[in-house]
Amino acid sequence: YGYNNVPRKVPSTNTYGKQLPLNKISDLLRGEIAQAGFTEILTFGLCSHAEAFAKLNRQDDGQTAVTLANPKTLEFEICRPCLLPGTLKTMSNGQQMPKPIRIFEITDVVLKCSDNDVGAMNRRHLCAMYGGMSSGFEVTHGLLDHIMSMLDVKLDAKDGYALAEAKDGAFFDGRCAKVLYKGEEIGLMGTLHPSTLEAFDIPFPCSALEIRLDTVTGV
Protein backbone atom coordinates (compact mmCIF):
# COMPACT_ATOMS: atom_id res chain seq x y z
CA TYR A 1 0.00 0.00 0.00
CA GLY A 2 1.00 3.59 -0.42
CA TYR A 3 0.87 6.24 -3.13
CA ASN A 4 4.59 5.88 -3.88
CA ASN A 5 4.14 2.17 -4.61
CA VAL A 6 1.80 2.81 -7.57
CA PRO A 7 3.84 1.93 -10.69
CA ARG A 8 4.48 4.83 -13.07
CA LYS A 9 3.52 4.33 -16.70
CA VAL A 10 2.49 6.39 -19.70
CA PRO A 11 -1.32 6.27 -20.24
CA SER A 12 -2.41 4.26 -23.26
CA THR A 13 -4.82 7.01 -24.36
CA ASN A 14 -4.40 10.76 -24.79
CA THR A 15 -7.12 12.83 -23.11
CA TYR A 16 -7.67 16.48 -22.40
CA GLY A 17 -10.20 18.44 -20.38
CA LYS A 18 -12.42 21.30 -21.45
CA GLN A 19 -15.10 23.51 -19.98
CA LEU A 20 -18.64 22.17 -19.82
CA PRO A 21 -20.83 23.87 -22.48
CA LEU A 22 -23.32 25.14 -19.87
CA ASN A 23 -20.54 26.66 -17.77
CA LYS A 24 -19.02 28.31 -20.83
CA ILE A 25 -22.33 29.89 -21.85
CA SER A 26 -22.89 30.98 -18.24
CA ASP A 27 -19.51 32.73 -18.16
CA LEU A 28 -20.22 34.49 -21.45
CA LEU A 29 -23.61 35.66 -20.18
CA ARG A 30 -22.04 36.95 -16.97
CA GLY A 31 -19.83 39.23 -19.05
CA GLU A 32 -22.73 40.48 -21.17
CA ILE A 33 -24.98 41.20 -18.18
CA ALA A 34 -22.15 42.96 -16.34
CA GLN A 35 -21.58 45.16 -19.37
CA ALA A 36 -25.30 46.02 -19.23
CA GLY A 37 -24.68 47.66 -15.85
CA PHE A 38 -25.54 44.83 -13.45
CA THR A 39 -23.31 43.69 -10.59
CA GLU A 40 -22.83 39.97 -10.04
CA ILE A 41 -23.55 38.54 -6.61
CA LEU A 42 -22.82 35.17 -5.00
CA THR A 43 -25.33 33.89 -2.46
CA PHE A 44 -25.60 30.82 -0.24
CA GLY A 45 -26.86 27.55 -1.68
CA LEU A 46 -29.05 27.05 1.41
CA CYS A 47 -31.86 29.21 2.72
CA SER A 48 -34.69 29.05 5.23
CA HIS A 49 -38.05 27.54 4.39
CA ALA A 50 -39.79 30.85 5.10
CA GLU A 51 -37.54 32.77 2.70
CA ALA A 52 -38.31 30.39 -0.16
CA PHE A 53 -42.06 30.16 0.42
CA ALA A 54 -43.87 32.22 3.09
CA LYS A 55 -41.97 35.47 2.44
CA LEU A 56 -42.61 35.06 -1.30
CA ASN A 57 -46.30 34.29 -0.73
CA ARG A 58 -45.78 30.88 -2.30
CA GLN A 59 -47.11 27.51 -1.18
CA ASP A 60 -44.82 24.54 -0.58
CA ASP A 61 -46.17 21.57 -2.50
CA GLY A 62 -43.71 19.20 -0.84
CA GLN A 63 -42.31 18.17 -4.22
CA THR A 64 -39.93 21.07 -4.88
CA ALA A 65 -37.51 21.89 -2.09
CA VAL A 66 -34.84 19.52 -0.76
CA THR A 67 -34.99 19.69 3.04
CA LEU A 68 -31.97 19.18 5.28
CA ALA A 69 -32.45 16.42 7.84
CA ASN A 70 -30.52 18.18 10.60
CA PRO A 71 -30.05 21.90 9.86
CA LYS A 72 -27.66 23.76 12.16
CA THR A 73 -29.52 27.08 11.94
CA LEU A 74 -32.97 28.29 10.90
CA GLU A 75 -31.38 30.24 8.03
CA PHE A 76 -30.15 27.04 6.34
CA GLU A 77 -33.09 24.63 6.34
CA ILE A 78 -33.43 23.77 2.65
CA CYS A 79 -31.49 23.84 -0.60
CA ARG A 80 -32.62 26.89 -2.52
CA PRO A 81 -35.34 26.02 -5.05
CA CYS A 82 -34.90 29.40 -6.76
CA LEU A 83 -32.47 32.33 -6.72
CA LEU A 84 -34.99 35.01 -5.78
CA PRO A 85 -34.63 34.75 -1.94
CA GLY A 86 -30.84 35.21 -2.02
CA THR A 87 -31.13 38.09 -4.46
CA LEU A 88 -33.73 39.81 -2.26
CA LYS A 89 -31.51 39.40 0.82
CA THR A 90 -28.59 40.92 -1.08
CA MET A 91 -30.76 43.84 -2.19
CA SER A 92 -31.88 44.36 1.41
CA ASN A 93 -28.33 44.30 2.80
CA GLY A 94 -27.11 46.69 0.10
CA GLN A 95 -30.00 49.13 0.20
CA GLN A 96 -27.73 51.95 1.41
CA MET A 97 -25.87 51.85 -1.91
CA PRO A 98 -26.57 54.56 -4.53
CA LYS A 99 -29.75 53.99 -6.50
CA PRO A 100 -30.60 52.41 -8.80
CA ILE A 101 -29.21 49.05 -7.70
CA ARG A 102 -28.78 46.39 -10.40
CA ILE A 103 -27.70 42.88 -9.34
CA PHE A 104 -27.73 39.42 -10.91
CA GLU A 105 -26.66 35.85 -10.28
CA ILE A 106 -26.16 32.81 -12.51
CA THR A 107 -25.82 29.55 -10.62
CA ASP A 108 -27.56 26.27 -9.78
CA VAL A 109 -30.68 25.60 -7.75
CA VAL A 110 -31.55 22.20 -6.27
CA LEU A 111 -34.91 20.53 -6.85
CA LYS A 112 -36.44 17.21 -5.93
CA CYS A 113 -36.33 14.66 -8.76
CA SER A 114 -37.54 11.10 -8.35
CA ASP A 115 -35.85 10.06 -11.61
CA ASN A 116 -32.35 10.60 -10.19
CA ASP A 117 -30.78 8.02 -7.91
CA VAL A 118 -30.06 10.70 -5.30
CA GLY A 119 -33.62 12.03 -5.46
CA ALA A 120 -32.58 15.55 -6.48
CA MET A 121 -31.10 17.47 -9.39
CA ASN A 122 -29.27 20.71 -10.09
CA ARG A 123 -30.68 23.24 -12.54
CA ARG A 124 -28.94 26.37 -13.83
CA HIS A 125 -30.90 29.57 -13.22
CA LEU A 126 -30.38 33.25 -13.94
CA CYS A 127 -31.84 35.89 -11.64
CA ALA A 128 -31.61 39.66 -12.04
CA MET A 129 -33.10 42.44 -9.95
CA TYR A 130 -33.47 46.21 -10.27
CA GLY A 131 -34.34 48.53 -7.40
CA GLY A 132 -34.55 52.30 -7.03
CA MET A 133 -36.96 55.21 -7.19
CA SER A 134 -39.11 53.18 -9.58
CA SER A 135 -39.52 49.43 -10.04
CA GLY A 136 -37.62 49.51 -13.33
CA PHE A 137 -39.74 46.83 -14.96
CA GLU A 138 -38.67 48.13 -18.37
CA VAL A 139 -35.02 47.57 -17.37
CA THR A 140 -35.49 43.91 -16.46
CA HIS A 141 -37.61 43.44 -19.58
CA GLY A 142 -34.83 44.98 -21.66
CA LEU A 143 -32.29 42.71 -19.99
CA LEU A 144 -34.36 39.67 -20.92
CA ASP A 145 -34.49 40.82 -24.54
CA HIS A 146 -30.72 41.38 -24.50
CA ILE A 147 -30.03 37.93 -23.04
CA MET A 148 -32.21 36.26 -25.66
CA SER A 149 -30.52 38.27 -28.39
CA MET A 150 -27.12 37.06 -27.19
CA LEU A 151 -28.41 33.47 -27.24
CA ASP A 152 -29.80 34.00 -30.76
CA VAL A 153 -33.36 33.31 -29.60
CA LYS A 154 -35.98 35.31 -31.46
CA LEU A 155 -39.21 36.79 -30.13
CA ASP A 156 -41.51 34.11 -31.48
CA ALA A 157 -44.20 32.24 -29.58
CA LYS A 158 -43.64 29.02 -31.54
CA ASP A 159 -39.90 28.75 -32.19
CA GLY A 160 -38.48 31.37 -29.81
CA TYR A 161 -39.43 33.12 -26.59
CA ALA A 162 -42.55 34.98 -25.60
CA LEU A 163 -44.26 36.54 -22.58
CA ALA A 164 -47.67 35.66 -21.19
CA GLU A 165 -49.68 36.99 -18.26
CA ALA A 166 -49.06 35.09 -15.04
CA LYS A 167 -49.91 35.14 -11.34
CA ASP A 168 -47.35 34.58 -8.61
CA GLY A 169 -47.45 35.51 -4.94
CA ALA A 170 -44.09 37.29 -5.07
CA PHE A 171 -45.22 39.67 -7.82
CA PHE A 172 -47.94 42.27 -8.39
CA ASP A 173 -51.07 40.96 -10.08
CA GLY A 174 -51.19 42.40 -13.58
CA ARG A 175 -47.47 43.19 -13.49
CA CYS A 176 -46.19 39.64 -13.66
CA ALA A 177 -45.39 37.63 -16.78
CA LYS A 178 -44.14 34.12 -17.38
CA VAL A 179 -41.33 33.66 -19.86
CA LEU A 180 -42.02 30.99 -22.46
CA TYR A 181 -39.51 29.22 -24.67
CA LYS A 182 -41.07 27.23 -27.52
CA GLY A 183 -44.29 27.16 -25.52
CA GLU A 184 -42.66 25.89 -22.30
CA GLU A 185 -42.50 28.06 -19.22
CA ILE A 186 -38.91 28.75 -18.22
CA GLY A 187 -39.30 31.57 -15.69
CA LEU A 188 -41.03 34.66 -14.34
CA MET A 189 -40.50 38.39 -14.42
CA GLY A 190 -42.37 41.37 -13.05
CA THR A 191 -42.73 44.00 -10.34
CA LEU A 192 -42.28 42.59 -6.84
CA HIS A 193 -45.23 42.78 -4.48
CA PRO A 194 -44.96 45.23 -1.53
CA SER A 195 -45.51 42.38 0.95
CA THR A 196 -42.55 40.54 -0.54
CA LEU A 197 -40.36 43.63 -0.27
CA GLU A 198 -41.56 44.26 3.30
CA ALA A 199 -40.72 40.67 4.29
CA PHE A 200 -37.12 41.30 3.24
CA ASP A 201 -37.00 44.86 4.67
CA ILE A 202 -36.65 46.58 1.31
CA PRO A 203 -38.17 50.10 1.41
CA PHE A 204 -38.15 50.87 -2.32
CA PRO A 205 -39.81 49.29 -5.40
CA CYS A 206 -38.05 46.52 -7.28
CA SER A 207 -38.54 44.31 -10.31
CA ALA A 208 -37.03 40.89 -10.87
CA LEU A 209 -36.41 38.30 -13.54
CA GLU A 210 -35.62 34.62 -13.05
CA ILE A 211 -35.30 32.05 -15.84
CA ARG A 212 -33.75 28.63 -16.25
CA LEU A 213 -30.80 28.49 -18.61
CA ASP A 214 -30.48 24.78 -19.31
CA THR A 215 -33.62 24.77 -21.45
CA VAL A 216 -33.08 27.98 -23.38
CA THR A 217 -29.40 27.23 -24.12
CA GLY A 218 -30.03 23.64 -25.13
CA VAL A 219 -27.02 22.32 -23.17
Side-chain angles (χ1 to χ4, degrees), residues 98-165:
K99 310 298 185 296
I101 301 174
R102 302 179 179 92
I103 54 177
F104 80 97
E105 183 174 21
I106 299 177
T107 189
D108 286 356
V109 300
V110 182
L111 303 171
K112 285 184 178 180
C113 180
S114 57
D115 296 333
N116 287 6
D117 54 353
V118 296
M121 67 173 182
N122 284 25
R123 198 165 74 183
R124 186 65 50 87
H125 276 210
L126 180 155
C127 184
M129 188 175 296
Y130 178 99
M133 299 302 294
S134 65
S135 66
F137 178 78
E138 69 281 359
V139 178
T140 52
H141 191 180
L143 180 64
L144 173 65
D145 290 341
H146 181 61
I147 291 169
M148 292 302 183
S149 176
M150 292 299 100
L151 295 174
D152 198 24
V153 179
K154 298 180 179 180
L155 183 60
D156 186 286
K158 182 179 180 181
D159 298 320
Y161 78 101
L163 297 176
E165 185 178 353

Side-chain angles (χ1 to χ4, degrees), residues 30 32-42 86-88 90-92 94-105 126-144 146 202 204-209:
R30 288 185 179 102
E32 288 293 336
I33 298 173
Q35 291 179 56
F38 284 73
T39 301
E40 186 177 12
I41 61 174
L42 183 63
T87 310
L88 282 164
T90 303
M91 181 68 77
S92 176
Q95 61 183 262
Q96 72 279 3
M97 299 297 292
K99 310 298 185 296
I101 301 174
R102 302 179 179 92
I103 54 177
F104 80 97
E105 183 174 21
L126 180 155
C127 184
M129 188 175 296
Y130 178 99
M133 299 302 294
S134 65
S135 66
F137 178 78
E138 69 281 359
V139 178
T140 52
H141 191 180
L143 180 64
L144 173 65
H146 181 61
I202 300 175
F204 46 82
C206 298
S207 61
L209 158 72

